[in-house]
Amino acid sequence: MFTTLLVIATIVAATLGAGVGYRLAYLAARSTTNRLRAELADAAWQLTHDPLTGLLNRTGLRTVHTAIAASGEPQPIIVMLIDLDQFKEVNDTHGHDAGDDLLMEVADRLGQLADAHGGSIARLSGDEFAAILPVRHHGITALADLFNTVVAAPVEVHADSGPVTVTVTASLGIATVASTDPVQDVALHLADTAMYHAKHQGGDRHILYVPGMTMPDRTPRRGPRLRDLRRDQRGSAE
């Protein structure tokens, strides 16, 4: 009798041990899977987003455009290039931390405005942003006025000497293109051309690209930009 009970106890213990072991192995595997998924999601976010502002980066903007182009029949879209006018002065006067504060606040405003109009916005580099928006019922001029207005609202930044309020404006270049047009070589190139006309006319304004528009003669406002150098080397817009 004792032997029989011992055998039964041994079998039960072995069964329970196997069950516990399986459960522990399952939990460990699930934990590893969740961690890997989180790491993959983080890597994907880093690939498509600007780490300072949290907006899309150039790769993220291309991804959004690709999805729009593949979503159905070609449709008109608005591509807007937004370049801050006095950003270098803020950096030089108040320090780079203040410049970062300014970029983050402007990015937040632009992001909210783009979301409200069904679009997406990205920080391309430095103080340059780009937006893709559906045409829908938007009046392009009224929409551009909104973008100029939200940028020009005062921003409190943390300068080396303490909090200070700064104000910048923006030069906007706007192009209406087909959703299937290449975003880099066509849409952004046309918007870039229009943006330089806005800059050339003193900034704090928006210019809509019209067929035949070319780059204005200009003196670089703060030395040649990387995209200008690439354009000179490659003969096309970056």
Side-chain angles (χ1 to χ4, degrees), residues 1 17 22-23 25 34 52 59 84 95 112-113 115 130 133 142 151 154 167 169 180 191-192 209-210 214 225 228 234:
M1 180 67 175
Y22 174 80
R23 180 63 176 171
N34 289 341
L52 176 65
T59 299
L84 304 188
Q112 291 185 44
L113 187 55
D115 286 344
L133 304 119
V151 171
T167 302
T169 57
T180 51
D192 190 50
Y209 176 85
V210 294
T214 59
R225 298 181 180 183
D228 294 329
R234 300 178 186 177

Side-chain angles (χ1 to χ4, degrees), residues 146-232:
L146 286 175
F147 275 87
N148 275 121
T149 298
V150 299
V151 171
V155 179
E156 183 176 286
V157 299
H158 292 85
D160 296 336
S161 57
V164 63
T165 299
V166 299
T167 302
V168 297
T169 57
S171 297
L172 274 63
I174 306 164
T176 302
V177 299
S179 57
T180 51
D181 285 337
V183 67
Q184 194 68 27
D185 295 330
V186 175
L188 286 177
H189 174 62
L190 300 183
D192 190 50
T193 300
M195 185 278 293
Y196 267 114
H197 278 272
K199 189 74 67 177
H200 189 68
Q201 294 178 28
D204 191 20
R205 69 192 62 230
H206 49 80
I207 298 292
L208 179 65
Y209 176 85
V210 294
M213 181 180 285
T214 59
M215 281 287 184
D217 295 330
R218 65 189 186 280
T219 301
R221 63 190 175 102
R222 56 183 181 226
R225 298 181 180 183
L226 179 60
R227 61 191 172 90
D228 294 329
L229 295 175
R230 288 174 177 168
R231 179 184 295 112
D232 293 340

Side-chain angles (χ1 to χ4, degrees), residues 56 59-69 120 132:
L56 295 171
T59 299
L61 191 70
R62 287 186 185 130
T63 301
V64 167
H65 177 265
T66 299
I68 294 172
S120 299
I132 294 178

Side-chain angles (χ1 to χ4, degrees), residues 15-37:
T15 303
L16 290 175
V20 170
Y22 174 80
R23 180 63 176 171
L24 291 175
Y26 170 76
L27 291 174
R30 188 172 69 174
S31 176
T32 300
T33 300
N34 289 341
R35 176 176 57 80
L36 291 175
R37 284 176 177 170

